[in-house]
Amino acid sequence: PIPPLGNCSYTKRAAPIDIDWKGTKLQVQALASNGVNISSKHVTYVSAGGTETPNSFFDKIGNGHISFYKLNAESFVMSSGLNFTILKPCGLGTGEPGKNKLVVGHDGQGFNLLITHTIQRSDVARVLVESLRNPAEAAGLRFDVCSQAWGAATTDIIKDVFKPAMYPWDKRLQNH
């Protein structure tokens, strides 16, 4: 048992190994092998924040190793030869989109989870949609994303999310 959650378990074929690992592999393989030019395809993947921490609290839930399988799925997507954008959101909320400032980071750095620990599911969807609308700006990015209650609400996903998610050596930053 994991206090305060009690006993957690997964139903048959619904554990993280099935959904996050095997399911992601099957979907990416299907996309990559459907006969259309591979360079025109773009995978968007919602992982989870905290995959850089082995044997985390989340891995212990139901002994499902969710972070481990999400990290392996990220690796598979990145090595698939397809363009990709990987979001690693903090805790998910159910509020309205576009009300908060979105903040990004890498490897658990870039914002303080004690202060900033949720992002609305609808804001995650906004970022995913913009990654598909703007693949040149979003391709090859893998980043943590969260929101904060202070500061102007994010309206320009490219400027306020994708650009800060790029590493300083990203050539797209030198072209602007």
Side-chain angles (χ1 to χ4, degrees), residues 17-85:
I17 190 172
D18 302 306
I19 304 291
D20 296 303
W21 175 232
K22 293 176 182 176
T24 299
K25 282 180 64 176
L26 288 172
Q27 289 180 44
V28 169
Q29 288 168 347
L31 178 66
S33 61
N34 78 356
V36 179
N37 183 348
I38 198 168
S39 66
S40 67
K41 300 175 185 183
H42 190 110
V43 174
T44 57
Y45 181 70
V46 179
S47 183
T51 59
E52 70 281 349
T53 305
N55 204 25
S56 71
F57 167 80
F58 297 108
D59 280 338
K60 295 175 184 174
I61 296 174
N63 201 29
H65 306 286
I66 190 167
S67 295
F68 173 79
Y69 289 115
K70 283 190 177 290
L71 182 61
N72 278 280
E74 291 175 27
S75 178
F76 183 79
V77 168
M78 291 186 297
S79 64
S80 70
L82 297 168
N83 292 319
F84 66 87
T85 305

Side-chain angles (χ1 to χ4, degrees), residues 38-158:
I38 198 168
S39 66
S40 67
K41 300 175 185 183
H42 190 110
V43 174
T44 57
Y45 181 70
V46 179
S47 183
T51 59
E52 70 281 349
T53 305
N55 204 25
S56 71
F57 167 80
F58 297 108
D59 280 338
K60 295 175 184 174
I61 296 174
N63 201 29
H65 306 286
I66 190 167
S67 295
F68 173 79
Y69 289 115
K70 283 190 177 290
L71 182 61
N72 278 280
E74 291 175 27
S75 178
F76 183 79
V77 168
M78 291 186 297
S79 64
S80 70
L82 297 168
N83 292 319
F84 66 87
T85 305
I86 299 172
L87 276 62
K88 300 167 63 66
C90 58
L92 298 172
T94 58
E96 291 183 50
K99 300 289 184 189
N100 294 317
K101 177 182 174 120
L102 302 182
V103 291
V104 299
H106 291 281
D107 304 321
Q109 305 294 311
F111 47 85
N112 185 334
L113 285 175
L114 295 176
I115 299 169
T116 304
H117 57 273
T118 59
I119 183 171
Q120 304 311 318
R121 286 173 170 84
S122 49
D123 280 325
V124 171
R126 285 175 57 215
V127 175
L128 291 171
V129 167
E130 289 304 311
S131 75
L132 295 171
R133 286 184 180 156
N134 300 282
E137 297 295 341
L141 296 180
R142 173 186 175 260
F143 57 94
D144 300 322
V145 61
C146 205
S147 68
Q148 63 187 32
W150 63 93
T154 298
T155 56
D156 187 336
I157 300 294
I158 294 172

